[in-house]
Amino acid sequence: MSAQATSSSIASSAPVAPVVAQSAAVAAESKPKPCCVCKDEKAKRDECMLFSKAADPQKDCLTTIDQYKSCMAGFGFKV
């Protein structure tokens, strides 16, 4: 392989890395932080769990927990 062929193959692969890094940065910017989404659902879930008079608060608050999980899943988070 000649020096010219080697440098052209290196030069042609160099722009790929910035494009990948740029698209990853865009994806990270577009996805919000988990603490910043579903605040109402989280507050309802927490209130239900903390103040439930049931012996098993998790079972008692299943609908609010499911609403929170659905909301988080809508933003791409697994809870």
Side-chain angles (χ1 to χ4, degrees):
M1 212 179 205
S2 70
Q4 183 180 11
T6 304
S7 64
S8 67
S9 67
I10 292 171
S12 66
S13 65
V16 174
V19 172
V20 172
Q22 183 181 7
S23 64
V26 170
E29 289 175 12
S30 65
K31 186 174 181 181
K33 294 181 181 181
C35 63
C36 301
V37 296
C38 306
K39 289 185 175 185
D40 291 335
E41 290 84 353
K42 182 178 179 182
K44 289 176 187 176
R45 179 207 63 183
D46 291 349
E47 184 177 339
C48 183
M49 291 290 290
L50 289 172
F51 299 113
S52 175
K53 303 287 187 209
D56 186 5
Q58 188 171 4
K59 195 173 189 179
D60 188 42
C61 301
L62 190 60
T63 56
T64 56
I65 293 169
D66 287 340
Q67 288 173 347
Y68 177 70
K69 286 181 179 182
S70 297
C71 181
M72 292 297 282
F75 287 98
F77 297 106
K78 294 181 180 179
V79 180

